[in-house]
Amino acid sequence: MEGGEGTEETPLPLVLTRFQLSEEYGFLLPDPLTELPEPYGPWMEIAHDLPQLIASHQLRSQVHQVPVLSFLIQDTQHLRGREELHLAHLVLSFITMGYLWQEGEEGTVKVLPQNLAVPFWEVSQALGLPPILSHTDFVLANWRRKNPNRPLEIENLDTIISLPGGESLRGFILVTLLVEKAAVPGIKVGYRRAPSLQLEGSSCPHIAVHALAHRIWKDNPAMPDGLIYEGVSDEPMAYSGGSAAQSTILHAFDELLGIRHSEESTAFLHRMRDYMPPPHRAFVEEIHRAPSLKQHVLSSGDARLCTAFNRCISALAEFRSYHITIVTKYITVAAAKAKAGQADPGDRAGPSAVKPPSALEAKGTGGSHIFSFLKSVRDTTREGMISA
């Protein structure tokens, strides 16, 4: 039900906070921390030097020298609060990626060492995230302002942690971040369509991790058996890599507009929700349970509402078409060029002897068959239009 002026403004920030959302930043982590407390200095030192350590093939040896540091809140007073946990997850996820892929597809490892695996697992448990680099790490929690008094504009933004890729990778992360920021007004509309949104206190943030406990590096031919987390499990686990399909905004818009994708695409997208922070996933599920916006528009008989609704559908379809263009240029074509030995001049770490990931030429970072998936969700979005 729509409320009056009081319910339009006053409760909005309070309710969004329950979903770890803000009116200004949306799903972005507001002004993330950039340094961990002193006991975790060794991890921060490695994380800040990742591009050079990977390019020089020294990362694995550096990781092996770090002692086991427990991140469990109940065991230490050094790491407290969601912000520090998110930074710890960001740092450990990037180090894990570098450790695994330091030597490229032909030199992957089967075991993540205990001194990295155990703290990564502990932090993941605390946040309800899987122990792998996800969209949350790559984008939502991986930004800082160069000047804290200036706005969120690309000239005033930088990443906290990076990997080999130089300015190209930095631009990829920050542009994606600004897309998340631009979606904030639409997210607030989604809230107002489902004003009953509540995050139940009984929700367990660890469910996502336990449910995924036997999958890692899923759908990647370079690691068909997954990865063993030493000190956590004797069996390999498999997860999907970070993907824009893990962005909560597109799931929220699909649910708000009543978009129904193919069975295969829906299964993949729903699996990607397991990589969102649990409060963000709860937000999407509440929109799904809310009364249908499309049915409201249809039952109103108002031609202006139908036109406005179709404009929203058209805008979302156009966004997905543009995404296809971007993926073609910056993933498929770029991967082919890299395979042919054409180094990216924007990579300040210098050309690497490591071969580029061949899986990206046909699959997305989340393991989807990239073009068939992107075209499918674009086409089914168009099918959500209301006929005249």
Side-chain angles (χ1 to χ4, degrees), residues 371-386:
F371 284 109
S372 60
F373 168 73
L374 292 177
K375 290 177 181 178
S376 172
V377 296
R378 189 267 317 275
D379 293 345
T380 47
T381 299
R382 289 172 174 166
E383 292 169 6
M385 301 273 283
I386 293 176

Side-chain angles (χ1 to χ4, degrees), residues 193 257-258 292-307 309-310 383-388:
R193 277 303 305 166
L257 298 171
S292 168
L293 174 62
K294 185 173 185 178
Q295 287 304 314
H296 172 74
V297 172
L298 286 168
S299 62
S300 72
D302 189 327
R304 292 174 301 173
L305 275 182
C306 288
T307 299
F309 181 89
N310 282 345
E383 292 169 6
M385 301 273 283
I386 293 176
S387 301

Side-chain angles (χ1 to χ4, degrees), residues 86-167:
H86 269 296
L87 178 56
H89 200 277
L90 165 66
V91 166
L92 294 170
S93 66
F94 268 70
I95 294 175
T96 295
M97 290 296 100
Y99 185 92
L100 293 177
W101 302 104
Q102 173 179 289
E103 306 300 329
E105 288 183 323
E106 297 176 357
T108 57
V109 297
K110 295 183 178 180
V111 179
L112 193 67
Q114 182 173 345
N115 64 337
L116 181 53
V118 170
F120 195 13
W121 180 262
E122 291 175 351
V123 171
S124 299
Q125 290 273 48
L127 288 171
L129 290 170
I132 187 174
L133 188 149
S134 67
H135 181 77
T136 298
D137 306 298
F138 197 62
V139 176
L140 304 185
N142 189 24
W143 64 278
R144 65 176 183 86
R145 301 175 199 251
K146 295 178 181 177
N147 183 334
N149 299 316
R150 290 184 56 204
L152 262 69
E153 297 173 346
I154 197 160
E155 296 83 3
N156 191 42
L157 290 170
D158 204 352
T159 57
I160 299 172
I161 309 295
S162 192
L163 291 166
E167 289 301 309

Side-chain angles (χ1 to χ4, degrees), residues 92-377:
L92 294 170
S93 66
F94 268 70
I95 294 175
T96 295
M97 290 296 100
Y99 185 92
L100 293 177
W101 302 104
Q102 173 179 289
E103 306 300 329
E105 288 183 323
E106 297 176 357
T108 57
V109 297
K110 295 183 178 180
V111 179
L112 193 67
Q114 182 173 345
N115 64 337
L116 181 53
V118 170
F120 195 13
W121 180 262
E122 291 175 351
V123 171
S124 299
Q125 290 273 48
L127 288 171
L129 290 170
I132 187 174
L133 188 149
S134 67
H135 181 77
T136 298
D137 306 298
F138 197 62
V139 176
L140 304 185
N142 189 24
W143 64 278
R144 65 176 183 86
R145 301 175 199 251
K146 295 178 181 177
N147 183 334
N149 299 316
R150 290 184 56 204
L152 262 69
E153 297 173 346
I154 197 160
E155 296 83 3
N156 191 42
L157 290 170
D158 204 352
T159 57
I160 299 172
I161 309 295
S162 192
L163 291 166
E167 289 301 309
S168 296
L169 178 63
R170 175 181 171 275
F172 179 80
I173 294 172
L174 296 179
V175 168
T176 306
L177 181 151
L178 292 174
V179 171
E180 292 275 350
K181 176 70 167 60
V184 171
I187 295 303
K188 289 192 285 188
V189 170
Y191 157 75
R192 290 189 171 108
R193 277 303 305 166
S196 62
L197 289 174
Q198 297 291 328
L199 185 59
E200 297 298 331
S202 61
S203 297
C204 177
H206 303 177
I207 290 176
V209 176
H210 288 305
L212 292 166
H214 297 288
R215 297 178 293 183
I216 191 159
W217 327 104
K218 190 175 178 67
D219 304 318
N220 195 317
M223 299 185 69
D225 299 322
L227 180 73
I228 293 174
Y229 282 67
E230 187 180 37
V232 175
S233 173
D234 294 331
E235 298 296 324
M237 298 184 283
Y239 300 101
S240 296
S243 167
Q246 296 164 5
S247 170
T248 309
I249 57 174
L250 293 176
H251 291 256
F253 288 152
D254 278 347
E255 295 294 355
L256 176 64
L257 298 171
I259 305 298
R260 296 294 174 258
H261 298 297
S262 70
E263 184 176 347
E264 182 178 6
S265 295
T266 296
F268 172 73
L269 287 168
H270 281 204
R271 178 157 62 86
M272 292 297 99
R273 292 181 185 181
D274 292 332
Y275 295 78
M276 299 175 186
H280 294 181
R281 184 167 64 250
F283 181 83
V284 174
E285 292 167 353
E286 286 291 349
I287 294 178
H288 174 76
R289 287 193 287 266
S292 168
L293 174 62
K294 185 173 185 178
Q295 287 304 314
H296 172 74
V297 172
L298 286 168
S299 62
S300 72
D302 189 327
R304 292 174 301 173
L305 275 182
C306 288
T307 299
F309 181 89
N310 282 345
R311 284 201 195 112
C312 293
I313 296 289
S314 179
L316 185 57
E318 287 176 13
F319 176 84
R320 283 180 157 142
S321 288
Y322 188 66
H323 188 198
I324 294 171
T325 303
I326 294 297
V327 167
T328 301
K329 182 175 182 179
Y330 292 105
I331 294 184
T332 308
V333 174
K337 286 182 178 179
K339 189 175 183 179
Q342 300 175 24
D344 181 358
D347 186 350
R348 294 178 181 173
S352 170
V354 176
K355 293 173 63 177
S358 59
L360 278 184
E361 296 176 47
K363 289 190 173 186
T365 48
S368 63
H369 290 277
I370 192 163
F371 284 109
S372 60
F373 168 73
L374 292 177
K375 290 177 181 178
S376 172
V377 296

